[in-house]
Amino acid sequence: YNPSSRAHIMPVITPAYPAMNTTHNTTETTKRIIMAEFARGRECCAAVEKREKPWSCVYDRHPFFSIFQNFLQIQIMAKGEDVFQRFKGWVESRLRTLIAILERIGVMAIHPNPHFYDFTEGEEWEHATSMFIALQFPEDQGAAVGMHIDLRPQVSQFVSVCSEWTERDDWPGQYQMRVRRLRQSELPSYVFPNSQDAERSAGSQGTKRSPERPLGSPEGVKKRARLSAAG
């Protein structure tokens, strides 16, 4: 561990020799989320001490899909269990790259969801899962109403990294990855614990859930980035 290194964003050092940073994978985004959770925990404990809330408030689930309006969805699909687990592991190991790329967009803040959500994609893709990254556009970071933010360059870079999978020639036509942007009203029903939550989310926007929303500007005229074994 080098104290002068700027690569250590939120160092937590081991108490025994050799001194190592146990949080070397922490990014500016994850640091912001962790610090926010520390603050929430402190508020909850203070409320418990004042008998305003029960201890269970500390363990309240984060209402991820309710509080954010825009998301980036990453779908991973495969025709077999073995290739699915292998390709999923490869994509998962490259998510840090995507986070770093998105962090460079100054007017946007992101919030990755660490959970994967399994779903079905017809008979062709027997194994499929999704992960989501919430997209925020804070005014204090320079975002403004009507501003267009094109995510295609960042997503294309991530897709290019994932296409370098070292085992791709062993599984031709057996796997696929899709990346697309969604509004809250367009979220798939499988991310909600029950159908009522899904209907409440869709109804809150006053619109029906559309099949998909391509990446890019709000006009929805730009195609989604897509990676398949076929090229």
Side-chain angles (χ1 to χ4, degrees):
Y1 169 69
N2 181 4
S4 63
S5 175
R6 294 184 179 181
H8 302 288
I9 297 175
M10 189 179 179
V12 177
I13 312 304
T14 54
Y17 181 85
M20 299 178 64
N21 180 16
T22 61
T23 58
H24 63 280
N25 284 328
T26 301
T27 65
E28 291 291 351
T29 294
T30 51
K31 176 185 177 181
R32 171 174 49 80
I33 296 172
I34 291 171
M35 297 302 293
E37 281 300 297
F38 284 161
R40 186 186 72 85
R42 181 179 181 182
E43 292 176 0
C44 286
C45 290
V48 170
E49 291 180 349
K50 296 178 182 179
R51 299 182 182 275
E52 296 175 352
K53 291 184 178 181
W55 276 111
S56 59
C57 73
V58 178
Y59 305 100
D60 287 345
R61 296 184 61 179
H62 186 267
F64 182 80
F65 294 108
S66 299
I67 64 175
F68 298 115
Q69 301 299 317
N70 296 277
F71 303 86
L72 199 64
Q73 179 189 26
I74 303 170
Q75 295 179 325
I76 302 170
M77 299 171 291
K79 297 182 179 181
E81 176 68 21
D82 192 13
V83 60
F84 174 72
Q85 294 298 337
R86 290 174 179 270
F87 185 59
K88 176 187 173 185
W90 170 261
V91 175
E92 192 173 0
S93 69
R94 296 299 180 270
L95 289 176
R96 177 179 169 85
T97 300
L98 177 61
I99 299 301
I101 295 172
L102 294 176
E103 285 180 340
R104 299 171 191 163
I105 303 177
V107 298
M108 186 176 73
I110 60 177
H111 189 123
N113 187 330
H115 300 290
F116 283 88
Y117 298 84
D118 295 338
F119 67 98
T120 56
E121 183 74 8
E123 297 181 358
E124 181 179 7
W125 305 106
E126 298 180 4
H127 306 274
T129 191
S130 287
M131 77 159 295
F132 297 84
I133 299 175
L135 311 176
Q136 295 176 283
F137 306 95
E139 293 184 358
D140 57 1
Q141 291 187 205
V145 177
M147 177 181 291
H148 293 177
I149 300 177
D150 188 358
L151 299 179
R152 288 181 302 172
Q154 291 76 18
V155 172
S156 295
Q157 186 177 345
F158 173 65
V159 170
S160 178
V161 170
C162 291
S163 67
E164 297 175 358
W165 187 32
T166 55
E167 299 182 52
R168 61 184 181 277
D169 294 334
D170 298 333
W171 308 95
Q174 298 295 308
Y175 66 93
Q176 187 177 94
M177 185 183 78
R178 299 173 185 164
V179 182
R180 60 180 182 174
R181 201 199 84 182
L182 300 175
R183 292 188 183 277
Q184 187 190 65
S185 60
E186 299 166 338
L187 287 169
S189 59
Y190 59 77
V191 305
F192 299 96
N194 56 63
S195 59
Q196 291 182 349
D197 288 342
E199 294 172 359
R200 181 161 55 250
S201 176
S204 66
Q205 300 300 314
T207 58
K208 294 183 179 180
R209 184 178 293 106
S210 62
E212 83 177 32
R213 183 179 183 83
L215 285 169
S217 66
E219 289 84 1
V221 299
K222 301 171 184 176
K223 295 182 179 179
R224 71 188 176 195
R226 179 170 178 172
L227 168 68
S228 69

